[in-house]
Amino acid sequence: MNLVLNVDTAVVDLGLIEYQKAWDYQTEVFNSILETKKLNRSIPPQEHQPTRNYLLFCEHPAVFTLGKSGVETNLLASAEELAEYDAAYVHTNRGGDITFHGPGQLVVYPVIDLENFFTDIHTYMRGLEEAVILTLEKYGVHGERIPNLTGVWISDGGGPPRKICAMGVKTSRWVTMHGLALNVSVDLKYFSLIIPCGITDKAVTSLEKEIGHTVAMPDVKEILKASIADVFAMNLIS
């Protein structure tokens, strides 16, 4: 995208956190940015307060989430099976259909004011994909896009394309929340309980499955953090 903005962006590591708690945290930050923008509309430009930007990193205990455009029947498990797998089920306000979050999956929630960067949701989504693709390259894995589908896929090695990163966002007045989920070492058995993202003819994979050995989550986190900063021209702050 050739940005030269160097926008200050705070990095917050939430660790392993329940989905609802992370959603509540996101919402609080999201609403605070919207309040600043609302205030700025009522005062002279020279008095405007800058809006803050955040990258929230975390992992979640096992949970299936259904986006606002999702289809209930894409959850294939009964309540009893969910209990057996010790997995929660949450209706959420992001875009997209159903997906799974669990330990070993790196989740990133950018809660940012796109007016600090650019005002184009398509460019934003492609930027998130690019950051993941750059991260995978560090491990010798070729990630790619599929036309008309959101996320990052692996298609080499034969068989159907394999999704390694799912994405779903919400925006209001150019402020974003929710984001991406990169399968690092997540237990892929959970994906058999859903039709991931409502797509029936493709598979799901993880970084560890693709490269055939374990990887350290902190290392992946640092690489992805740097890749997002590079793609969006962010100056990351603690």
Side-chain angles (χ1 to χ4, degrees):
M1 291 185 288
N2 299 318
L3 301 178
V4 291
L5 302 174
N6 207 33
V7 177
D8 283 350
T9 304
V11 177
V12 181
D13 193 331
L14 299 174
L16 181 65
I17 182 173
E18 291 180 3
Y19 183 86
Q20 185 64 55
K21 290 182 178 179
W23 186 8
D24 291 344
Y25 188 98
Q26 281 190 82
T27 301
E28 182 178 342
V29 174
F30 180 83
N31 288 340
S32 71
I33 297 172
L34 289 177
E35 283 299 314
T36 300
K37 299 188 77 165
K38 181 180 178 180
L39 173 64
N40 286 343
R41 293 198 302 272
S42 66
I43 59 179
Q46 63 272 21
E47 298 178 18
H48 282 189
Q49 299 179 19
T51 49
R52 302 187 68 183
N53 306 279
Y54 299 83
L55 290 181
L56 311 179
F57 286 77
C58 65
E59 295 176 64
H60 295 306
V63 59
F64 296 97
T65 66
L66 185 71
K68 59 187 179 181
S69 58
V71 179
E72 288 271 8
T73 52
N74 286 333
L75 175 65
L76 305 178
S78 65
E80 291 76 15
E81 287 174 306
L82 289 178
E84 187 178 314
Y85 277 76
D86 195 23
Y89 178 46
V90 178
H91 287 247
T92 186
N93 64 347
R94 60 162 172 79
D97 205 290
I98 197 166
T99 194
F100 171 75
H101 300 302
Q105 182 189 74
L106 180 56
V107 178
V108 187
Y109 297 128
V111 188
I112 63 177
D113 181 3
L114 286 178
E115 289 192 298
N116 292 326
F117 301 88
F118 49 79
T119 51
D120 187 308
I121 298 300
H122 178 80
T123 298
Y124 173 62
M125 299 302 291
R126 302 296 78 76
L128 292 180
E129 291 167 348
E130 183 64 19
V132 172
I133 290 169
L134 292 172
T135 299
L136 296 175
E137 283 182 0
K138 297 291 186 179
Y139 292 90
V141 175
H142 177 66
E144 58 188 41
R145 301 176 179 89
I146 293 179
N148 302 315
L149 294 177
T150 299
V152 178
W153 307 76
I154 313 295
S155 64
D156 56 341
R162 308 176 296 284
K163 194 168 197 177
I164 196 168
C165 181
M167 297 180 181
V169 304
K170 168 184 167 65
T171 63
S172 177
R173 298 187 182 276
W174 297 113
V175 180
T176 70
M177 65 182 293
H178 300 293
L180 66 88
L182 174 61
N183 296 334
V184 177
S185 58
V186 66
D187 189 341
L188 297 175
K189 72 181 181 185
Y190 288 91
F191 289 95
S192 67
L193 301 179
I194 60 174
I195 301 175
C197 304
I199 301 170
T200 59
D201 61 345
K202 295 177 177 60
V204 179
T205 191
S206 69
L207 179 56
E208 284 195 355
K209 182 175 182 180
E210 293 299 319
I211 63 179
H213 60 78
T214 60
V215 291
M217 180 66 82
D219 293 344
V220 181
K221 188 181 300 182
E222 289 304 312
I223 294 169
L224 181 56
K225 187 187 304 181
S227 297
I228 293 172
D230 287 345
V231 169
F232 291 97
M234 294 172 170
N235 176 43
L236 300 184
I237 57 178
S238 300

